[in-house]
């Protein structure tokens, strides 16, 4: 059985930029809140696609998302510090370049 949940679709941008450099920590505009839903917006392969990666802070301090177009794979491994104040692409990310960057992070309702 799937539990009922209320979804508030208010979104607030808490970071924006163009991050593709590994281990370059970027500060959020405000600390993440435990058990809140966040969305990381990324460009995927030649900037042709925009992807949305969901993340709940407090369930772990990292997330991974991959995309494969049939010939190339890109993998974002995003590390968030223990205080929830900054994040970086860790060294296990694959094919990071300006056309596979993190563009924004949103907090949902």
């Amino acid at each position: 059985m799937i539990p009922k949940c209320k979804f508030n679709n208010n979104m607030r941008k808490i970071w924006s930029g163009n991050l593709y450099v590994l281990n370059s920590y970027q500060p959020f505009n405000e600390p993440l809140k435990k058990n809140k839903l966040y969305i990381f917006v990324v460009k995927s392969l030649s900037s042709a696609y925009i992807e949305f990666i969901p993340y709940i802070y407090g369930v772990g301090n990292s997330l991974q998302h991959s995309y494969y177009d049939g010939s190339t794979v890109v993998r974002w491994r995003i590390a968030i510090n223990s205080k929830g104040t900054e994040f970086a692409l860790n060294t296990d990310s694959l094919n990071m370049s300006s056309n596979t960057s993190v563009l924004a992070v949103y907090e949902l309702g």
Side-chain angles (χ1 to χ4, degrees), residues 19 21-26 77-80 86-90:
L19 177 65
V21 177
L22 302 181
N23 288 329
S24 174
Y25 273 87
Q26 302 292 306
R77 283 197 175 168
I78 300 171
I80 298 164
E86 57 186 11
F87 75 102
L89 292 164
N90 82 16

Side-chain angles (χ1 to χ4, degrees), residues 38-53:
Y38 296 90
I39 302 294
F40 284 76
V41 181
V42 298
K43 286 193 285 187
S44 178
L45 295 176
S46 302
S47 303
Y49 306 98
I50 299 293
E51 299 203 39
F52 303 90
I53 306 169

Side-chain angles (χ1 to χ4, degrees), residues 19-35:
L19 177 65
Y20 57 90
V21 177
L22 302 181
N23 288 329
S24 174
Y25 273 87
Q26 302 292 306
F28 294 114
N29 294 342
E30 60 188 62
L32 302 185
K33 298 174 187 111
K34 198 167 194 166
N35 299 322

